[in-house]
Amino acid sequence: MKAAIIGGGVIGGGWAARFLLHGWDVVVSDPNPKVATQIDEILANAGQWLPALADVPMPPRGTLSFAASLAEAVSGADWVQESVPEDLSIKHKVIAEIQAHAPAHAILGSSTSGFKPSQLQEGASKPGQIMVAHPFNPVYLLPLVEVVAGDACSDDVKAQACDLLKSIGMEPLIVRNEIDAHIADRFLEACWREALWLIKDDIATTEEIDNAIRYGFGLRWGQMGLFETYRLAGGEEGMAHFIRQFGPCLSWPWTKLMDVPELDEELVQKIATQSDAQSGQYGIRELEGIRDRNLVGMLRSLKERDWGAGRVLNENDKRLAQMVSEAAVVDEGVPTRLLESTVLPAWIDYNGHMTEFRYVQVFSDSSEVLFRRVGMHAEYVASGFSYYTAETHNQFYDEVGVNEAYYTTVQIVLADAKRLHVFYRMHAASDDRLLATLEAMYLHVDMKSGKVVAAKPDAVKKLLALAATHADLSKPEAVGRFVGQR
Ligand SMILES: NC(=O)c1ccc[n+]([C@@H]2O[C@H](COP(=O)([O-])OP(=O)(O)OC[C@H]3O[C@@H](n4cnc5c(N)ncnc54)[C@H](O)[C@@H]3O)[C@@H](O)[C@H]2O)c1
C-alpha cells in the first residue's frame, strides 16, 4: 500500500512515520528543501517510540521517498494525506492538483484543524473522495483521528477510510455533523482562551496553568475524559445530581469564555517570557523526547488496563498479529523466514542489550507465525486443539541493541501428525549474524482431554509440505546439544 504525504511539516512528518512503521510505502511532496531532514528527525523519534507501544512484531518498515512533484507523489497512491499550511486557498489549489493525478480509488484526507469538509470540497472534481482526517501531534503516538466526511462522501468511502486508519493504529472519531474546528479543537480553544485571560490578568503564569492541568484534571481527562469523570463527581447519585449541583456555576461570572484578550505584543511577550522561564532549559527536540517517553509510559499503563487509548493499542496488536504474512513465499532449500521486526526499547536491560526473556518471546512470536502458516489460526485453537510446547533449548550467540532490525527462520527437523520438532534461528538483519537459536519440540494436544492426538489432516499436510522444503538441509549444528556443550 502506498501513502502520499502532501506537506511534510510537523503533522505530515508524523503521518509519514505512522504509515511507514505500519509497513506502508510513503512518498512525500513538499517544496521545502529541508523536508528530508525534517522527516528524518521525526522518523527517528517515531521509530524509537511507536514500536515501544506494540507487544507483537511490527511489520517491516515501508520505503520512504521524496517526489519531485505533487503529481509524481500521488501517482499510484491508495491514501493521500494533505498537511499543507492552514490556508483555504492553498488547500484548494493542492486538492485540485491531487485529484487531477491521484488514482480514482485514492481517498484524500486533510489534516485541517479548522476547515469543514464542505469548505475543502468546494469546486473539487471529486468531492466524494475528500474528507477531514484530523490527527493530533505527535501523530505517530496519539491514536485519535477526527473523521469529518460530510454529505458528499458515501457511507462506503467513510467505512473504507475508517478501516484504513484503523489499520495504522488510529482510532477514528466520526464527526457526524460538520462544525468549524471539529470536536477536540473546540475544547482546546476554550481552555486556551481562558488561560490567556489568566495570564493577562496576572492570575497565573504559564507554568502554574500547566501545573493545574498536569497534576490534576489532565490526568483524569487522559483516561476518562470529561463526562465519565463528572459522572464520578456526582457520586452514587450520578450525573443528573452532578449537573444540578454544579450546573448553576456556569452562569456565575467564573469564566470569560467567549471573549478573547487582544493578543498585542505586550501579551505575546509576557507569555513567551514566562514560557522561556518555564521550559527554556530544554531544546525543542529534547522536549519532544520527554513528551514521547511520557506518552509511551502513560499509554502502556492504559494498555495493561485495556482502557481508553490502551484498548486501541491492544486492538492494533491483534491486527498486527494477523498481518504477519501467511502467504509469504517459501524458498526451497533454506530455512523458512518467519518474523522481520526490530528490537523494542522496552526489551533492553541494564547493560544496554536485549534482555534474556525477550529472545524467548521472539521465538514464541515466531512459532505463532509458523502455526498460522500451516492454517492453525485462532479458530483452530477455538475448536479445541493446539500445539503445546514440551521442551526447548535456547542458545545465545551475540548481543543485539535497541531498534536493531532482526529476522527469524525456522527449520523443521521432524514433523508427523502428533509431533513437531523445529529449530529457530534469530539473525541481525544488517549483517545476517546469528544472535540466538531455539530448539523446540511441540506436541499436538486435544485441550479438552489433555491427551496428545493427531493434528487435523489439512494442517498436517501443510506442515509436511513445509518440512519437505527443508529436506535437503543439513541437520542444524546445535540440535540435541545439552547445556554446556558447544
Ligand atoms: N501543528 C499541529 O499541532 C496540528 C495538529 C493537527 C492538525 N494540524 C493541521 O495540519 C496542517 C499542517 O500543519 P503543520 O503544523 O504540519 O504545518 P507546518 O508548517 O509544520 O507544515 C506545513 C508544510 O507544508 C509545506 N507546504 C506548503 N505548501 C505546500 C504545497 N503546495 N505542497 C506541498 N507542501 C506544501 C510546507 O513547506 C511545510 O513543510 C494544517 O492544516 C494544520 O491545521 C496541525
Side-chain angles (χ1 to χ4, degrees):
M1 299 284 269
K2 174 183 162 182
I5 302 296
I6 312 303
V10 175
I11 294 304
W15 276 108
R18 188 175 266 284
F19 275 112
L20 279 166
L21 292 166
H22 280 85
W24 283 55
D25 293 330
V26 168
V27 183
V28 178
S29 166
D30 190 317
N32 182 351
K34 293 198 181 126
V35 67
T37 320
Q38 216 162 266
I39 296 221
D40 269 359
E41 283 177 359
I42 295 173
L43 197 51
N45 278 351
Q48 183 175 4
W49 295 113
L50 186 144
L53 294 174
D55 289 296
V56 295
M58 298 286 294
R61 205 183 264 207
T63 59
L64 170 66
S65 55
F66 295 88
S69 68
L70 189 150
E72 183 193 322
V74 301
S75 141
D78 301 289
W79 182 274
V80 182
Q81 186 67 29
E82 170 279 301
S83 307
V84 300
E86 190 75 351
D87 175 320
L88 195 55
S89 62
I90 301 182
K91 298 226 186 247
H92 276 158
K93 197 170 149 278
V94 165
I95 288 171
E97 209 179 333
I98 292 172
Q99 294 214 307
H101 299 282
H105 75 276
I107 295 175
L108 197 174
S110 169
S111 300
T112 179
S113 303
F115 297 122
K116 296 179 281 203
S118 58
Q119 291 174 286
L120 300 173
Q121 290 158 353
E122 265 161 24
S125 57
K126 284 168 264 174
Q129 297 292 101
I130 302 167
M131 64 181 69
V132 171
H134 175 235
F136 292 79
N137 191 28
V139 182
Y140 50 85
L141 289 184
L142 298 184
L144 180 63
V145 53
E146 290 178 311
V147 173
V148 205
D151 297 334
C153 293
S154 66
D155 287 347
D156 210 31
V157 169
K158 287 180 210 170
Q160 264 180 47
C162 288
D163 285 350
L164 193 146
L165 292 164
K166 280 186 183 171
S167 79
I168 55 167
M170 299 190 99
E171 177 70 5
L173 174 63
I174 297 175
V175 182
R176 278 186 304 279
N177 298 311
E178 64 172 28
I179 182 170
D180 295 307
H182 329 311
I183 297 176
D185 278 358
R186 298 185 72 87
F187 286 125
L188 293 181
E189 261 199 45
C191 283
W192 194 36
R193 226 182 277 135
E194 197 61 22
L196 292 175
W197 277 117
L198 291 170
I199 295 171
K200 185 177 169 64
D201 294 348
D202 286 328
I203 308 294
T205 62
T206 55
E207 184 166 8
E208 286 159 353
I209 289 169
D210 288 349
N211 289 346
I213 297 170
R214 63 185 153 190
Y215 299 153
F217 73 85
L219 292 169
R220 294 194 313 212
W221 279 12
Q223 44 85 48
M224 281 195 170
L226 180 70
F227 282 102
E228 206 155 40
T229 296
Y230 281 171
R231 182 182 177 80
L232 289 173
E236 287 298 336
E237 290 171 78
M239 180 61 85
H241 171 69
F242 174 80
I243 296 174
R244 278 187 216 109
Q245 193 180 355
F246 294 105
C249 311
L250 294 176
S251 52
W252 296 352
W254 272 16
T255 68
K256 304 205 181 189
L257 286 181
M258 296 314 294
D259 291 344
V260 182
E262 195 192 333
L263 285 170
D264 55 19
E265 199 44 33
E266 192 188 345
L267 182 55
V268 171
Q269 280 313 321
K270 185 176 180 181
I271 297 169
T273 308
Q274 288 184 5
S275 174
D276 286 349
Q278 176 187 354
S279 317
Q281 70 273 33
Y282 306 113
I284 288 298
R285 294 281 163 260
E286 198 183 354
L287 211 48
E288 279 173 354
I290 293 168
R291 174 199 64 192
D292 288 0
R293 201 156 60 115
N294 288 341
L295 281 173
V296 167
M298 290 156 78
L299 285 164
R300 286 211 64 97
S301 145
L302 289 170
K303 194 176 182 198
E304 270 171 39
R305 287 151 185 84
D306 199 30
W307 186 265
R311 183 189 48 76
V312 176
L313 292 174
N314 284 327
E315 280 167 11
N316 196 40
D317 273 6
K318 282 188 206 140
R319 258 189 308 271
L320 289 174
Q322 289 303 322
M323 270 172 66
V324 178
S325 121
E326 295 164 23
V329 181
V330 174
D331 289 329
E332 293 266 346
V334 289
T336 305
R337 279 225 190 199
L338 294 175
L339 278 185
E340 285 179 24
S341 196
T342 53
V343 174
L344 302 184
W347 293 7
I348 301 303
D349 65 13
Y350 55 89
N351 61 22
H353 307 129
M354 186 159 114
T355 202
E356 183 188 345
F357 77 95
R358 297 295 184 177
Y359 287 89
V360 179
Q361 178 183 326
V362 165
F363 290 123
S364 171
D365 288 343
S366 302
S367 74
E368 295 286 324
V369 181
L370 171 63
F371 292 135
R372 278 202 296 275
R373 281 270 179 89
V374 296
M376 294 175 162
H377 301 270
E379 305 88 69
Y380 189 95
V381 178
S383 74
F385 299 94
S386 178
Y387 273 107
Y388 282 9
T389 309
E391 198 176 332
T392 61
H393 182 198
N394 212 178
Q395 292 199 299
F396 302 94
Y397 288 90
D398 207 348
E399 295 150 359
V400 60
V402 69
N403 291 332
E404 270 196 66
Y406 69 83
Y407 65 92
T408 63
T409 64
V410 68
Q411 181 176 343
I412 297 183
V413 181
L414 174 150
D416 61 27
K418 294 182 181 174
R419 294 173 304 168
L420 178 60
H421 181 180
V422 298
F423 191 79
Y424 299 105
R425 295 178 178 89
M426 177 183 181
H427 296 268
S430 55
D431 53 7
D432 294 320
R433 73 185 192 283
L434 184 65
L435 301 172
T437 62
L438 182 93
E439 183 184 354
M441 173 66 89
Y442 305 109
L443 298 175
H444 187 269
V445 172
D446 174 343
M447 292 193 285
K448 215 169 184 183
S449 66
K451 297 247 158 52
V452 175
V453 296
K456 294 184 187 176
D458 196 39
V460 176
K461 200 168 136 203
K462 286 184 180 153
L463 210 46
L464 292 178
L466 189 64
T469 69
H470 303 158
D472 293 338
L473 289 174
S474 49
K475 196 165 142 193
E477 57 292 351
V479 158
R481 271 186 196 163
F482 52 81
V483 173
Q485 186 188 5
R486 279 267 157 143

